[in-house]
Amino acid sequence: MINPSEFLNFLREKEFTFATGVPCSYFSRMINEIEMHQESITYIPATREDEAVGIASGVAFGGSRAFVIMQNSGYATIGDALTSLAQLYKLPILLFISWRGLESDHDFPEHSIMGNVTKEALVAYQVPYWELTDENWQLTIEMALTKMEDSSRPVALLVKQGVF
Amino acid sequence: MYGFEIIQELATIMSGKELIVSSNGNISRQVYHYCPRPQIYLRGSMGLPISVGLGLALARPEKQVLTILGDGNLLMGMGSLSTVSYVRPSNLKVLILDNGVYATTGEQGTTSGTLNYPTLLDGFGLPSIVPILKNDTTENVRGKIQIWITASELSVLPALVDTKSPKLNNIPLHPEQITELNRNYNNKLHIR
């Protein structure tokens, strides 16, 4: 498991000062940690995932950095926020997307179809992505950030159960 | 009073400390043509102007962020009213130009006619200014804009307006240029 405090310090060092999103149980420890340390990274709870992308876009317009937390079910709702805002206006944003609908979610059929097409949906919207695991997580995030900076566009990290 | 006339009035009141986020379609075009440049002219992402304004207000606390949107955009992103009320950045101001139609796409009706803005905004816990009404005098309108723009806290100004949009050319900037122009402009201000 990734230690939430180390994770937040790492992102803070990478100049992230804002986070927003809609929760997933996979991220509950991480969100608790952010909310306990608002002075380091300010967390803004959004009502929808596209709204969260809008907030992160505003932060990027203002010259600061935000990361966004969502389930893959929420990723299914952000197509227009990506294509007609964050990607179109070249706004660098880091997305953490929980990968629901895999084996461990066999009792949650609401996630099964999206779970099957999550990678394809990322490819379809031309969002570069990496799978984040607790091994070498700093390196994976750094690779994603390099792409985010070079392209000045959103990139995504897919997170399975048990990583946070 | 038409929506574009309110934007023209706003342009005469702006002090240079403001940063506008305008919503897709006619409103962005009108802001581009009537207000000092550059501003953040959204072209798509319907429903998200208030969210973009919120993020910008948090990242640029020294600026007054003015978010201008129509009733169609408001209805599509109604949840953002709850988020801004919760976060409450004092430098965010929201102007709603409600003409009751999707004017950009050919004036198809929206469902905004049943909204009661003072009650709605109060219910969301949002500080708001007495709505601008269609038959308000120019002085009246100017006064309400002045109160809104100089408010010391988060503030929403609803305006019920007549439908008519002047024929304006498309904004001659690619969105990447809009981002670039704002970045360069703000960097210059920082250096000064």
Side-chain angles (χ1 to χ4, degrees):
Chain A
M1 277 186 146
I2 299 175
N3 178 299
S5 153
E6 282 175 29
F7 171 78
L8 284 191
N9 287 338
F10 184 78
L11 285 175
R12 188 65 189 80
E13 278 167 24
K14 302 292 180 192
E15 296 178 352
F16 284 87
T17 45
F18 295 97
T20 178
V22 179
C24 177
S25 55
Y26 289 11
F27 296 132
S28 59
R29 289 172 65 235
M30 188 231 284
I31 296 170
N32 286 345
E33 183 77 19
I34 310 176
E35 288 188 322
M36 275 194 298
H37 300 281
Q38 292 275 350
E39 73 289 351
S40 164
I41 294 179
T42 305
Y43 182 72
I44 304 126
T47 62
R48 293 174 53 93
E49 294 80 358
D50 58 346
E51 188 198 358
V53 174
I55 293 168
S57 296
V59 169
F61 273 128
S64 294
R65 281 189 174 180
F67 64 90
V68 181
I69 298 161
M70 69 183 73
Q71 293 189 338
N72 49 350
S73 59
Y75 175 77
T77 71
I78 68 168
D80 185 51
L82 286 173
T83 57
S84 76
L85 177 60
Q87 293 173 324
L88 184 69
Y89 285 80
K90 293 197 87 169
L91 304 170
I93 296 170
L94 181 60
L95 309 171
F96 289 93
I97 304 171
S98 64
W99 197 352
R100 306 296 307 256
L102 301 176
E103 314 78 54
S104 58
D105 266 334
H106 57 81
D107 288 335
F108 299 92
E110 64 272 31
H111 291 300
S112 62
I113 296 176
M114 190 61 206
N116 283 338
V117 301
T118 295
K119 282 185 165 183
E120 288 83 350
L122 286 159
V123 171
Y125 283 107
Q126 301 178 352
V127 178
Y129 69 89
W130 291 260
E131 189 186 331
L132 187 71
T133 62
D134 44 15
E135 223 172 292
N136 295 327
W137 59 270
Q138 293 96 332
L139 200 64
T140 310
I141 295 179
E142 272 167 1
M143 274 162 43
L145 291 181
T146 302
K147 182 72 180 174
M148 182 188 86
E149 285 158 10
D150 291 349
S151 62
S152 192
R153 286 198 174 178
V155 298
L157 291 162
L158 272 180
V159 184
K160 289 181 183 166
Q161 190 174 35
V163 176
F164 283 101
Chain B
M1 175 82 47
Y2 297 107
F4 74 89
E5 294 177 310
I6 292 180
I7 292 174
Q8 288 172 328
E9 280 303 323
L10 173 63
T12 67
I13 290 172
M14 287 172 68
S15 69
K17 205 180 154 224
E18 303 85 0
L19 200 43
I20 298 178
V21 174
S22 58
S23 62
N24 54 309
N26 287 336
I27 291 178
S28 272
R29 271 182 222 177
Q30 290 162 12
V31 167
Y32 179 78
H33 281 90
Y34 302 136
C35 295
R37 300 171 190 164
Q39 307 292 345
I40 294 174
Y41 316 104
L42 299 181
R43 301 201 55 123
S45 57
M46 183 132 169
L48 300 185
I50 294 178
S51 317
V52 174
L54 170 60
L56 186 61
L58 291 171
R60 302 296 307 275
E62 79 286 6
K63 285 277 185 186
Q64 282 280 49
V65 175
L66 313 180
T67 299
I68 310 178
L69 74 168
D71 43 312
N73 249 292
L74 175 74
L75 291 166
M76 196 180 276
M78 196 68 96
S80 58
L81 290 181
S82 174
T83 313
V84 290
S85 176
Y86 179 81
V87 180
R88 208 159 277 266
S90 60
N91 61 330
L92 179 63
K93 315 285 176 237
V94 179
L95 170 61
I96 302 163
L97 299 176
D98 184 337
N99 58 11
V101 295
Y102 297 101
T104 309
T105 54
E107 303 192 359
Q108 302 86 351
T110 70
T111 58
S112 74
T114 58
L115 299 182
N116 176 332
Y117 279 103
T119 316
L120 171 82
L121 297 169
D122 192 46
F124 271 103
L126 285 163
S128 70
I129 311 294
V130 176
I132 290 174
L133 301 175
K134 287 183 182 178
N135 55 2
D136 273 4
T137 62
T138 308
E139 290 69 45
N140 229 326
V141 169
R142 199 171 296 154
K144 287 175 181 172
I145 297 174
Q146 195 78 53
I147 295 168
W148 169 70
I149 209 171
T150 55
S152 60
E153 59 176 355
L154 168 67
S155 179
V156 182
L157 173 57
L160 301 178
V161 296
D162 291 304
T163 316
K164 186 174 93 179
S165 305
K167 290 248 177 299
L168 296 174
N169 290 334
N170 203 346
I171 298 172
L173 298 171
H174 187 277
E176 288 178 16
Q177 292 173 289
I178 294 173
T179 305
E180 195 69 20
L181 282 173
N182 276 285
R183 192 172 294 146
N184 294 342
Y185 181 72
N186 289 319
N187 284 345
K188 254 184 253 157
L189 289 186
H190 277 307
I191 294 161
R192 274 182 216 157

